[in-house]
Amino acid sequence: TQLLEQSPQFLSIQEGENLTVYCNSSSVFSSLQWYRQEPGEGPVLLVTVVTGGEVKKLKRLTFQFGDARKDSSLHITAAQPGDTGLYLCAGDDYKLSFGAGTTVTVRA
Amino acid sequence: DVKVTQSSRYLVKRTGEKVFLECVQDMDHENMFWYRQDPGLGLRLIYFSYDVKMKEKGDIPEGYSVSREKKERFSLILESASTNQTSMYLCASRETGYSNQPQHFGDGTRLSIL
C-alpha cells in the first residue's frame, strides 16, 4: 500500500499550458521532497518543503505544502518540453516513502 | 557534486543465480539506500544502512540481503534470483539521517532475470 498517493498518474499537455500534480497522504511527515526523473537516470531533487502552508518557487515551478503537512502540490506554469519527466513526491521520516509518480509529457 | 555510481546499467541473469549489485558514493555519506522501481509502484525501499556494517530492512526486504563493509560501498545481493525480481534497482546516499537532506541517486541498474 502506497503511503503517498499521487495524481494524476499521467499528464500530457501542449507547450505553454499549465499543469498541477498532487501528492496526498494520510500520514504527517516532517518534510516532503519532490524529485524529477528523466529516462535512463536516477531521480534528482527539486525541492524540500518543511513548514505547513509553505510555498516555494523554482523558476516556473511552484510547490505548496498543506497546512496539516499531509499533502503537497506541484504547479508548472507555461510548461516546456524540457519539463517532460517522471515527478515523484517523497515523505521524509528518516527514510523516504515515495508516491507512484506522475509521468508528465509536454508536447512541442 | 555528489556522485553515486552503480556498477552496471544493464544485467541479465538466470533464475536461481546469486546476483550482486554494487553501489559506490564519493562524498563520505553515512546513509545509503537500495530501492527497486516498477511501473505504477514508484520507488520501494529494500534495505538501508546508516553506518558501516549496520543495516535495516525497508518495506520489501524478502529475497534480498545487503553488505556494507566500507563506508563508500553498499552492495545488494539477490540470494537466489527469481523472475519477479526483474526490475530497475536504484541506489542512493544521504549525508546523515537528519530530515530535509536530499538523497542522491545513481542512474540505476536494469536487471532482467530469465
Side-chain angles (χ1 to χ4, degrees):
Chain A
T1 304
Q2 215 81 39
L3 275 181
L4 287 103
E5 299 287 336
Q6 280 188 245
S7 61
Q9 189 175 358
F10 299 97
L11 201 50
S12 179
I13 60 170
Q14 202 69 34
E15 181 176 5
E17 294 181 340
N18 302 332
L19 67 96
T20 303
V21 176
Y22 299 93
C23 176
N24 296 295
S25 171
S26 56
S27 301
V28 175
F29 293 101
S30 58
S31 66
L32 195 137
Q33 299 180 353
W34 283 93
Y35 289 80
R36 184 170 79 197
Q37 184 178 20
E38 299 188 25
E41 298 181 8
V44 176
L45 180 74
L46 293 173
V47 78
T48 300
V49 285
V50 178
T51 307
E54 184 175 4
V55 177
K56 277 193 174 177
K57 293 199 174 196
L58 190 67
K59 297 184 181 176
R60 294 176 293 99
L61 279 60
T62 301
F63 302 86
Q64 287 191 297
F65 201 15
D67 291 339
R69 288 162 53 219
K70 288 184 178 181
D71 57 274
S72 182
S73 65
L74 156 61
H75 182 79
I76 301 179
T77 305
Q80 299 176 2
D83 296 324
T84 292
L86 176 67
Y87 289 81
L88 295 156
C89 66
D92 197 346
D93 58 353
Y94 179 72
K95 54 185 173 79
L96 294 181
S97 298
F98 281 86
T102 295
T103 299
V104 171
T105 303
V106 182
R107 305 185 304 275
Chain B
D1 270 357
V2 176
K3 190 158 179 64
V4 178
T5 303
Q6 295 185 229
S7 53
S8 306
R9 293 299 299 268
Y10 300 94
L11 209 51
V12 180
K13 296 291 183 181
R14 297 231 172 253
T15 304
E17 280 193 70
K18 191 169 186 175
V19 181
F20 293 84
L21 302 183
E22 306 287 346
C23 175
V24 176
Q25 50 96 0
D26 67 354
M27 284 301 291
D28 203 37
H29 284 178
E30 290 183 3
N31 296 176
M32 296 189 75
F33 307 81
W34 274 107
Y35 298 88
R36 63 177 284 176
Q37 183 174 27
D38 300 288
L41 296 178
L43 276 71
R44 292 180 291 165
L45 182 64
I46 304 171
Y47 267 97
F48 65 104
S49 168
Y50 49 89
D51 204 349
V52 176
K53 296 192 186 295
M54 309 298 280
K55 61 185 179 185
E56 282 196 31
K57 293 181 180 178
D59 300 317
I60 51 164
E62 297 77 20
Y64 303 94
S65 63
V66 290
S67 171
R68 193 164 179 205
E69 296 296 318
K70 293 186 177 182
K71 194 172 186 179
E72 68 270 19
R73 187 179 297 270
F74 192 33
S75 303
L76 179 69
I77 303 153
L78 286 65
E79 297 289 345
S80 177
S82 64
T83 54
N84 63 11
Q85 292 178 309
T86 290
S87 187
M88 169 69 86
Y89 290 87
L90 287 162
C91 173
S93 72
R94 180 155 78 171
E95 186 174 356
T96 70
Y98 291 108
S99 288
N100 311 339
Q101 291 183 345
Q103 289 195 7
H104 301 271
F105 286 84
D107 287 336
T109 296
R110 187 164 293 282
L111 175 64
S112 296
I113 307 297
L114 304 179

